[in-house]
Amino acid sequence: MELTRRLLDYLLSGELTPGQRIPSERQLAEALSTGRSTVREAIKSLSLLGLLEQRVGDGTYLSRSTSDLLPQVIEWGILLGEKRLEDLLEARHHLEVQLAGWAAERRSNEQLERLRELAGQMRDAGDDFDAYVAADIAFHLQLAEASGNSVLTSVLTNIQSLLQAWATRVIRTAGETHTSLAMHEPILRAVENRDAEAAQEAMRAHMERATRRLRDSMPESGSAGMSA
């Protein structure tokens, strides 16, 4: 974790601009006086946080949205480190499943209508990935609000920037939005029908797929296109 923090400080020192390629693993290892394998794991953690963008065969770049994500990264700084990020993925999975079930039981007609509107925005976004992700995250936050549990809704809201970074990575890696949309539609139907069990099952399937696709979007260690 200490190395990840040092790398974060180095990347945000002002020497690199958003969208710029970062130095190679070897160069970073020399600059930070550590091993390349340690640097590689730190890069993976910062990529999962959305601060770095790994392009297979083309190196690793500082995210263009770094300034927007930085406040959340500071707030969730304790999560810097692969194990804690895995813990967060697991926690999000169970949190969203529970919230979906409560939303089906407790949603108001106005909240249901808003969920329908957001699903429509996702459908209309097509290949506009940024528009799709914005509607996607808003759908999840509206679902949380419909659950009626303000504490757990706040937890999800506080990691909104991370959710956006992860959703963007998954959608851009997939290169399309229709398979993601197909995972949201049964959630909406279950909430419409006030079927808590179906809502939880649909959200569980969505979370399992989303988590798997996020992990699959990360280049394997040593194959991130970093030159020696």
Side-chain angles (χ1 to χ4, degrees):
M1 183 185 298
E2 177 59 31
L3 188 278
T4 306
R5 292 183 184 279
R6 288 171 56 203
L7 177 59
L8 178 63
D9 291 340
Y10 175 81
L11 295 174
L12 300 180
S13 64
E15 294 184 18
L16 297 175
T17 58
Q20 183 177 346
R21 182 174 177 171
I22 70 172
S24 68
E25 286 177 5
R26 177 182 56 80
Q27 292 169 324
L28 288 172
E30 291 176 354
L32 299 172
S33 301
T34 190
R36 288 178 59 179
S37 62
T38 306
V39 168
R40 190 174 301 127
E41 290 305 314
I43 288 173
K44 183 176 181 180
S45 293
L46 293 179
S47 295
L48 281 170
L49 285 166
L51 282 165
L52 294 176
E53 179 185 351
Q54 292 178 293
R55 305 176 189 173
V56 177
D58 189 34
T60 302
Y61 293 76
L62 190 62
S63 172
R64 294 186 183 277
S65 58
T66 295
S67 59
D68 296 331
L69 289 169
L70 186 56
Q72 291 295 341
V73 171
I74 292 174
E75 183 174 349
W76 287 87
I78 192 173
L79 296 169
L80 291 175
E82 185 176 355
K83 176 60 170 68
R84 287 179 173 81
L85 285 167
E86 288 292 328
D87 289 347
L88 180 58
L89 286 171
E90 182 180 55
R92 181 204 173 186
H93 178 127
H94 292 286
L95 174 64
E96 295 232 38
V97 168
Q98 181 62 66
L99 290 172
W102 282 336
E105 294 175 344
R106 303 170 179 174
R107 56 83 178 165
S108 67
N109 290 335
E110 292 77 10
Q111 289 167 333
L112 174 60
E113 186 57 34
R114 178 57 179 158
L115 286 169
R116 287 170 173 159
E117 290 175 1
L118 291 168
Q121 290 177 23
M122 293 165 67
R123 194 175 300 111
D124 294 341
D127 292 333
D128 185 341
F129 296 158
D130 290 340
Y132 180 89
V133 169
D136 183 352
I137 300 306
F139 180 93
H140 283 266
L141 294 179
Q142 179 59 65
L143 199 65
E145 183 177 330
S147 76
N149 188 300
S150 61
V151 174
L152 295 186
T153 298
S154 294
V155 172
L156 199 65
T157 301
N158 283 339
I159 60 170
Q160 180 177 352
S161 290
L162 291 178
L163 300 183
Q164 180 178 341
W166 291 345
T168 298
R169 173 179 289 278
V170 167
I171 293 298
R172 291 195 178 281
T173 299
E176 49 82 18
T177 61
H178 66 269
T179 54
S180 174
L181 178 61
M183 301 300 293
H184 289 79
E185 289 172 339
I187 299 171
L188 178 58
R189 286 196 300 271
V191 173
E192 287 175 335
N193 296 330
R194 294 192 183 276
D195 188 336
E197 184 176 348
Q200 288 188 321
E201 187 57 36
M203 181 61 81
R204 185 175 295 110
H206 174 36
M207 287 294 99
E208 288 174 355
R209 180 182 174 86
T211 301
R212 183 171 64 252
R213 293 178 77 183
L214 176 64
R215 291 193 178 108
D216 290 346
S217 76
M218 302 299 296
E220 294 294 329
S221 298
S223 62
M226 303 287 285
S227 61

